Amino acid sequence: MNDILTELESRRADARMGGGQKRVDAQHARGKLTARERIELLLDEGSFEEFDMFVSHRCTDFGMEAQKPAGDGVVTGWGTINGRMVYVFSQDFTVFGGSLSETHAQKICKIQDMAMQNGAPVIGINDSGGARIQEGVASLAGYAEVFQRNIMASGVVPQISLIMGPCAGGAVYSPAMTDFIFMVKDTSYMFVTGPDVVKTVTNEHVTAEELGGASTHTRKSSVADGAFENDVEALAEVRRLVDFLPLNNREKPPVRPFFDEPGRIEASLDTLVPSNPNTPYDMKELILKIADEGDFYEIQEDFAKNIITGFVRLEGQTVGVVANQPMVLAGCLDIDSSRKAARFVRFCDAFEIPILTLVDVPGFLPGTSQEYGGVIKHGAKLLFAYGEATVPKVTVITRKAYGGAYDVMASKHLRGDFNYAWPTAEIAVMGAKGATEIIHRADLGDAEKIAAHTKDYEDRFANPFVAAEKGFIDEVIQPRSTRKRVSRAFASLRGKSLQNPWKKHDNIPL
Amino acid sequence: MFKKLLIANRGEIACRVIKTARKMGIETVAIYSDADAQALHVQMADEAVHIGPPPANQSYIVIDKMMEAITSSGAQAVHPGYGFLSENSKFAEALAEVGVAFVGPPVGAIEKMGDKITSKKIAKEAGVSTVPGYMGLIADADEAVKISNEVGYPVMLKASAGGGGKGMRIAWNDEEAREGFQSSKNEAANSFGDDRIFIEKFVTQPRHIEIQVLCDAHGNGIYLGERECSIQRRNQKVVEEAPSPFLDEATRKAMGEQAVALAKAVGYASAGTVEFIVDGSKNFYFLEMNTRLQVEHPVTELITGVDLVEQMIRVAAGEPLSITQDDVTLTGWAIENRLYAEDPYRGFLPSIGRLTRYRPPMEVAAGPLLDTGKWQGEAPSGETAVRNDTGVYEGGEISMYYDPMIAKLCTWGPDRATAIEAMRVALDSFEVEGIGHNLPFLSAVMDHPIFIKGDMTTAFIAEEYPDGFEGVTLPGAELVRVAAACAAMHRVAEIRRARVSGRMDNHERKVGEDWNVTLQDRSFDVTVDADQSGSTVRFSDGATLRVSGAWTPGDQLAVMQVEDAPLVLKVGKVSGGFRIRTRGADMVVHVRTPRQAELARMMPIKTPPDTSKLLLCPMPGLVVTLHVEPGEEVQVGQALCTIEAMKMENILRAERKGIVSKVNAAAGDSLAVDEVILEFE
């Protein structure tokens, strides 16, 4: 018996060494942690249970049978984050460069299947050179098996991808179909075709970092939802995100003890909206002052900054926030912001996370680039997402809610549960000047008359009361009591039950 | 007594005057420009009159508008505060014409003291010590030596037309006087085309000490001790205290008596201040007289128990002084720190914008002002006093149109050390967010050995912070206290995190006791033993610190007790720890398990990118114009880009010669702080 135990320990030790000390040192020298070190930081101390530690590949071509390291380049298993179960796979760059073989893929598929069955999130740590070339089509088949499970798991359990090294070619499509992608600055990149191929085909000279680094994907492509300074910070922040998310779509979002009075009054919000309607202000201040303890987990912070998306807690429970940002493009909706917010709203709806919408939107951004880019269909995504969402929806209009953008931003007409307006709100078909110039076209030559008409229009329509008279606004609230009103609104909606008609699936304008 | 008082000012001083007027049962009238419609002084006053657009020269200093406001409100008296029209004799005259009382000195006194040369002459005649010197024309080097000997070394030879240090020499003996005269003369001739030189006593180790006087219209006059205002930045006072740590009783008496003599000589009747420059041997020389209430008057009130605003109002109403010189005693010590909306890390650039957070420390009444019943406003009483004179509130706006001073934070204690310690805690407890401000700098001064010893001169800031302020590095003992508090706080936060719903039963996360704390490049291994009343933090070297306090996760202010001393921390959110601000230091504190710390040590240290070849946006704003194109060579001082921030156009200029390699912004872009506008080759 003793011999067997010794054998087990020695085999385990061997597996834990991954690709050997030399490669581990090289990994560290690149500023990267090993697959197992990453799991240690991701999970509660001592909570990791590993599967398939001794799995090895079955390839016999190109002399591969001579090297059969235990684990085959990926560490898989489950553990807890603050006591809540998650499944995890972590690719080991020290073993065949983390390349994906048939068995490597099977290990990932196993935990994907278990996560689906047991209702827990999957967190994938990607650090892989790509397909294992020696295995040829078997490796490609492996990718597709993983893809298929990503698709099936979508909307069932949260899927989070961490890119902590290379992720190129077909490998990118697994993270691409998960809910969130986070990258590490300077040490990770993602692209379908690398700089060499780009150079050959299009003659563009571009570095891997420029083509698919964290900055590219958080600012330009919006492929990634966030980027962090290093491995340690990235893993700590993913833990923080998991604290906001339900484990699966059959559960309510988590609640945790909180130290913030739900009725907290913020007198300073009474002066948040400047007296000049064209002066911007920072909507994030409102989010931070509504949130429990000022804690806000922002998603896609660096992309389409004219809309803000992220998670807060109210009375300890997760709420998704979507807010126009008047500081950027006056808070207009455009292609990018519509896509960003639509995806976020659909995530919240899929996982029963209530949605708080803060509105200050002067309309859709005009211009040929927007129209040629298909703003009609992209804008419709957000409209569609809000309209189909059955989770509790509370909306606060702080200032402008003009035109079609008013309809889109979780209006009462899209089954909004509570639609509040600040006294500074202007709910109208458009701004006073534009409206006057259309209605009183005959007087266009007379500046004085137009000014008078504009004034009349402002007096009549630049307020929340016209909408409130029609019941489109449930109540005009004091800015200072927004946290209290919104918290109570969500509290009253905890039992909300709303079903959409049966359908195979909808046909959102993708 | 007056029934209604108009305060011809804004900001903290308007609020200050309103408080006393209210206590005296006088109705108050505020005035406000468009920019101040929501201001605190407007909210506090019984009524308010709008007086025009934001710029002061179209509102607060327009006498006609003031007179209209007086007529429309029916005010019987006007308190001018400081600045604006407070030392404007025309305004005082205009008031006299319509029979409205000016809460300040008579017109004649304002005029006489308003002129530098006249005031010096009057002072000399009144027997006040003035800087010895010779203002006449000096023929040659021999005469210069002769005069220097009469004045007494060291002397300063100054060009009449001088400025900026040019044509200025200091001489300590005959030889230097002879040489200095010639070189000053040459330099003056070259620089200003005017080679006239005069000689003045050079004051070594100069300190700025001023005497508060109070006179009535019946010929009575007293002095209320001195204020030490040596800590100044470009002639702007930053820290004041009373009494001065430098004066002895005899010097105080001599200065006080001369100050009263001067006031009487000009028929002064109100509160006023006689400013002196004092050298290292306690020789004092008259500088000027300010015929108004000084900004720093609260420190005098705190040690004398006299409400100066009340006294000014009573004198203006014709009442004789009810206090005599014998009634004036100086009790304890008071310190004032001026909180400015100036960013100390960016060369004290004025900062404007919205106060997203403004939570001054709680006021506490103590000392003479409490004893005499003259404490204004509501405050619980205590051992040491905290007083905050302010004109802003959370959610208010710091506008570009007026003085960047936000508040005057004062503390009083039975002795200087206690007052300083109370100030340190008060500064740490003062929460200001949304704008740049000088709180860290003030904290640094309160911990500076020269200030603690009371050895400062007017050159203090220029000498001690020659390259500006770069923040504070906490000394080891203080660092250990912060580390202990952060470890205890982090543990609380982690325990809360581990209580989230949806946990696996019986497999909960156990939050450990061993932690590693890193801050300011130091690393501490600690063990945290928590109990009902706090935590005992054991360091690996065996030292233990007891930490208690009511901090809960999310609190932005941690009022802790480490061992027996208070430790107040401003707490911000940072991944894996806190951003901690205390005692002028601003640092990231990471608290990790030993294993997390071990792995974190492997993370590469990323050097911040070299920004010397970049033009960064200094403030959030909108690009109005880009003045250069890629490939263009720019010269020093050339305009590169115009940024509009808070409706103000700021032109960014080239600091050195270079060639533009890349333009990253376009007109109409809105930029954040430190966003890259241009790159240079």
Side-chain angles (χ1 to χ4, degrees), chain A residues 194-231:
Chain A
D196 294 342
V197 179
V198 169
K199 194 177 149 193
T200 321
V201 178
T202 70
N203 222 5
E204 285 174 288
H205 292 264
V206 65
T207 64
E209 179 66 27
E210 283 167 356
L211 187 61
S215 170
T216 299
H217 287 312
T218 51
R219 291 164 200 275
K220 291 196 181 117
S221 74
S222 82
V223 164
D225 296 283
F228 302 107
E229 283 304 321
N230 55 46
D231 284 15

Side-chain angles (χ1 to χ4, degrees), chain A residues 114-255:
Chain A
M114 293 182 81
M116 287 276 279
Q117 176 189 298
N118 302 328
V122 180
I123 300 168
I125 299 175
N126 295 266
D127 187 0
S128 162
R132 186 136 346 137
I133 310 294
Q134 294 89 337
E135 294 202 8
V137 73
S139 171
L140 296 183
Y143 274 125
E145 294 284 342
V146 174
F147 299 159
Q148 181 63 46
R149 282 165 179 79
N150 284 134
I151 295 160
M152 290 297 102
S154 182
V156 179
V157 295
Q159 302 180 81
I160 300 171
S161 298
L162 273 151
I163 314 300
M164 306 189 94
C167 181
V172 298
Y173 288 110
S174 171
M177 291 187 294
T178 62
D179 299 303
F180 299 104
I181 298 179
F182 297 101
M183 297 180 75
V184 180
K185 290 176 190 170
D186 307 323
T187 47
S188 72
Y189 53 87
M190 291 178 85
F191 34 68
V192 174
T193 48
D196 294 342
V197 179
V198 169
K199 194 177 149 193
T200 321
V201 178
T202 70
N203 222 5
E204 285 174 288
H205 292 264
V206 65
T207 64
E209 179 66 27
E210 283 167 356
L211 187 61
S215 170
T216 299
H217 287 312
T218 51
R219 291 164 200 275
K220 291 196 181 117
S221 74
S222 82
V223 164
D225 296 283
F228 302 107
E229 283 304 321
N230 55 46
D231 284 15
V232 173
E233 188 184 306
L235 293 158
E237 287 303 295
V238 167
R239 283 180 64 90
R240 207 180 130 227
L241 174 63
V242 170
D243 288 349
F244 281 95
L245 306 180
L247 299 181
N248 58 61
N249 64 352
R250 302 181 295 277
E251 271 191 10
K252 290 275 177 190
V255 184

Side-chain angles (χ1 to χ4, degrees), chain B residues 242-523:
Chain B
S244 162
F246 186 61
L247 291 196
D248 52 45
E249 197 50 53
T251 315
R252 175 174 298 126
K253 189 159 184 281
M255 288 171 77
E257 283 169 355
Q258 288 189 13
V260 171
L262 174 63
K264 285 187 174 169
V266 294
Y268 204 84
S270 190
T273 297
V274 181
E275 295 190 337
F276 291 97
I277 185 162
V278 183
D279 74 10
S281 318
K282 295 199 176 70
N283 297 308
F284 58 90
Y285 309 103
F286 171 76
L287 273 181
E288 61 176 338
M289 179 167 186
N290 295 321
T291 55
R292 54 170 156 86
L293 186 67
Q294 295 275 99
V295 175
E296 59 273 20
H297 73 276
V299 289
T300 298
E301 297 185 327
L302 284 164
I303 62 163
T304 59
V306 174
D307 180 339
L308 286 167
V309 173
E310 180 194 339
Q311 293 300 323
M312 288 175 82
I313 294 172
R314 291 194 183 283
V315 169
E319 290 184 21
L321 288 185
S322 56
I323 9 176
T324 66
Q325 191 64 54
D326 290 341
D327 298 333
V328 178
T329 48
L330 310 184
T331 310
W333 215 281
I335 296 180
E336 173 178 285
N337 277 353
R338 296 193 193 184
L339 177 58
Y340 285 105
E342 291 178 344
D343 190 339
Y345 305 113
R346 288 174 179 259
F348 293 92
L349 260 179
S351 177
I352 50 175
R354 180 177 156 80
L355 284 166
T356 56
R357 195 170 176 88
Y358 180 78
R359 312 256 162 115
M362 194 180 68
E363 288 196 314
V364 183
L369 262 189
L370 177 66
D371 300 338
T372 54
K374 300 296 181 189
W375 187 280
Q376 294 103 25
E378 304 291 318
S381 60
E383 298 290 306
T384 53
V386 178
R387 169 174 165 178
N388 187 48
D389 286 22
T390 191
V392 299
Y393 55 92
E394 185 166 291
E397 196 87 20
I398 302 296
S399 96
M400 56 185 252
Y401 297 105
Y402 313 112
D403 187 82
M405 195 175 77
I406 318 174
K408 296 174 339 200
L409 179 65
C410 297
T411 55
W412 175 92
D415 54 59
R416 189 166 186 267
T418 316
I420 294 175
E421 181 57 24
M423 180 59 82
R424 289 181 185 128
V425 174
L427 287 170
D428 280 343
S429 315
F430 208 136
E431 295 180 81
V432 183
E433 308 287 349
I435 53 154
H437 55 76
N438 67 338
L439 274 174
F441 179 72
L442 296 173
S443 288
V445 172
M446 292 301 108
D447 275 327
H448 198 291
I450 292 179
F451 173 75
I452 292 170
K453 271 205 261 169
D455 280 350
M456 55 281 183
T457 70
T458 52
F460 174 80
I461 292 178
E463 282 174 10
E464 297 303 312
Y465 303 95
D467 305 319
F469 177 67
E470 280 153 4
V472 165
T473 307
L474 285 188
E478 198 61 24
L479 212 56
V480 170
R481 284 160 45 80
V482 174
C486 286
M489 285 155 57
H490 182 74
R491 188 169 172 278
V492 169
E494 287 300 303
I495 289 172
R496 190 275 296 271
R497 294 185 71 185
R499 288 193 184 147
V500 63
S501 68
R503 306 186 301 267
M504 291 177 85
D505 287 341
N506 308 318
H507 301 277
E508 274 103 350
R509 172 187 171 203
K510 303 235 175 355
V511 175
E513 293 170 351
D514 294 332
W515 299 96
N516 173 272
V517 187
T518 57
L519 65 171
Q520 268 185 206
D521 296 330
R522 295 275 303 273
S523 168

Side-chain angles (χ1 to χ4, degrees), chain A residues 40-41 44 82-84 185-186 229-230 233 237 240 243 254-257 268 271 285 289 293 327, chain B residues 354 356 394-395 496-497 499-504 509 552-553 573 575 595-596 602-603 606 670:
Chain A
E40 272 188 88
L41 287 179
D44 295 339
N82 286 311
R84 297 163 77 228
K185 290 176 190 170
D186 307 323
E229 283 304 321
N230 55 46
E233 188 184 306
E237 287 303 295
R240 207 180 130 227
D243 288 349
V255 184
R256 72 178 196 187
S268 61
T271 54
E285 183 180 338
K289 286 181 175 174
E293 300 166 17
M327 301 272 279
Chain B
R354 180 177 156 80
T356 56
E394 185 166 291
R496 190 275 296 271
R497 294 185 71 185
R499 288 193 184 147
V500 63
S501 68
R503 306 186 301 267
M504 291 177 85
R509 172 187 171 203
T552 54
K573 295 180 176 70
S575 181
R595 181 60 178 154
Q596 284 168 348
M602 288 200 262
M603 290 297 98
K606 294 186 181 176
S670 105

Side-chain angles (χ1 to χ4, degrees), chain A residues 269 272-273 281 283 286 290 322-324 326 355-363 386 393-414 416 418-429 461-468 471-480 482 485-486:
Chain A
L269 292 180
L272 180 65
V273 174
Y281 60 95
M283 188 64 97
L286 175 58
I290 291 176
V322 177
N324 305 114
I355 300 166
L356 170 64
T357 307
L358 305 173
V359 183
D360 185 351
V361 64
Y386 269 124
K393 292 184 281 194
V394 176
T395 303
V396 180
I397 300 172
T398 59
R399 188 164 65 176
K400 294 170 195 164
Y402 288 167
Y406 153 72
D407 280 342
V408 170
M409 292 302 294
S411 62
K412 194 76 191 165
H413 326 290
L414 300 178
F418 282 76
N419 286 64
Y420 288 137
W422 283 7
T424 43
E426 302 171 17
I427 301 146
V429 70
F461 298 105
N463 61 56
F465 300 108
V466 178
F472 301 159
I473 293 298
D474 297 299
E475 173 82 294
V476 180
I477 63 169
Q478 285 191 358
R480 60 171 61 209
T482 305
R485 301 299 291 257
V486 165

